[in-house]
Amino acid sequence: EAGVAQSPRYKIIEKRQSVAFWCNPISGHATLYWYQQILGQGPKLLIQFQNNGVVDDSQLPKDRFSAERLKGVDSTLKIQPAKLEDSAVYLCASSGGSFEQFFGPGTRLTVL
Amino acid sequence: QKEVEQDPGPLSVPEGAIVSLNCTYSNSAFQYFMWYRQYSRKGPELLMYTYSSGNKEDGRFTAQVDKSSKYISLFIRDSQPSDSATYLCAMSASSNYKLTFGKGTLLTVNP
């Protein structure tokens, strides 16, 4: 069974630029999560989708972050404009209806 | 007070040692307790989970939950260099499966 795919793996941008990350969950998994993991911290949930509907986006900085899940499968997370404090690893995870979440390798973002 | 507290370490032990990793929590709604292992530049992977107080064993790993004290532990017996990673505790209330993570403890097992 293929795991969660994410791209790109690494991205370096300047502050105030835009960036987008892509995630393809495990086939058949209805729930998709985006997490932000700052160096030395645990992952923090940004947004949770159930199929293509948003379940929880309470910790998503909506003035600069946006996310969508196309047809309940792939998802993109966008930051516009980026700030220095957005430097982190962005993790995508999916689950098939239980607490067990499967994580992708993450996208490491550096904002200069 | 953070919902989940975890000593970030780092922790360095010799091969074969018994390792104890711990987390405390403040939210009584947490019902599921998990330990994830995260190797450098990889995503977290689920190591063990439990939803009741007591011990759960899986090979060299034992997860322990004490709901009355709001305290969970992960024990690693006969630690190996391949166990070197960051260990994250995570918790969820049964209603929404949303995970709240600890900061993670960086473990190094020296050969």
Side-chain angles (χ1 to χ4, degrees):
Chain A
E1 178 183 77
V4 176
Q6 288 188 249
S7 68
R9 291 296 314 277
Y10 304 91
K11 190 74 178 178
I12 300 173
I13 61 172
E14 305 223 334
K15 60 183 180 184
R16 291 188 289 275
Q17 284 188 321
S18 307
V19 65
F21 314 126
W22 173 82
C23 172
N24 181 240
I26 291 173
S27 177
H29 280 191
T31 310
L32 186 146
Y33 309 82
W34 282 103
Y35 289 87
Q36 180 192 57
Q37 187 175 23
I38 292 172
L39 186 65
Q41 305 282 328
K44 181 185 85 169
L45 180 68
L46 293 175
I47 190 166
Q48 176 184 350
F49 290 96
Q50 179 74 20
N51 295 309
N52 58 357
V54 175
V55 174
D56 185 341
D57 64 356
S58 58
Q59 297 193 90
L60 186 73
K62 298 181 187 64
D63 58 333
R64 298 183 302 105
F65 286 65
S66 64
E68 61 178 1
R69 189 174 184 194
L70 306 172
K71 299 180 182 177
V73 182
D74 293 5
S75 177
T76 55
L77 176 69
K78 296 179 182 177
I79 308 175
Q80 181 179 10
K83 292 186 175 181
L84 296 177
E85 60 260 36
D86 298 332
S87 294
V89 176
Y90 291 84
L91 294 162
C92 179
S94 69
S95 74
S98 74
F99 61 86
E100 186 171 1
Q101 298 181 21
F102 297 85
F103 285 81
T107 296
R108 185 175 297 269
L109 173 68
T110 302
V111 182
L112 302 176
Chain B
Q1 182 187 13
K2 283 189 174 245
E3 280 191 295
V4 179
E5 301 272 8
Q6 182 176 7
D7 185 345
L11 192 59
S12 181
V13 302
E15 183 175 352
I18 296 174
V19 177
S20 171
L21 305 166
N22 311 294
C23 288
T24 59
Y25 64 96
S26 58
N27 188 345
S28 300
F30 288 144
Q31 296 294 319
Y32 292 94
F33 304 91
M34 284 140 274
W35 287 95
Y36 280 80
R37 179 173 60 195
Q38 186 173 26
Y39 290 113
S40 181
R41 300 187 182 275
K42 302 282 188 184
E45 56 177 341
L46 183 64
L47 197 58
M48 294 190 71
Y49 71 90
T50 184
Y51 50 83
S52 58
S53 283
N55 293 354
K56 181 177 180 180
E57 210 171 295
D58 184 2
R60 297 183 295 108
F61 298 89
T62 299
Q64 188 175 80
V65 173
D66 181 347
K67 288 187 177 181
S68 62
S69 301
K70 296 189 175 66
Y71 188 89
I72 71 170
S73 298
L74 177 71
F75 298 96
I76 307 174
R77 291 185 299 279
D78 187 25
S79 55
Q80 302 294 310
S82 58
D83 295 328
S84 297
T86 295
Y87 289 80
L88 297 151
C89 63
M91 307 180 188
S92 175
S94 58
S95 58
N96 58 13
Y97 303 137
K98 173 181 171 179
L99 289 182
T100 301
F101 283 86
K103 282 188 173 183
T105 300
L106 177 61
L107 170 67
T108 302
V109 181
N110 302 298

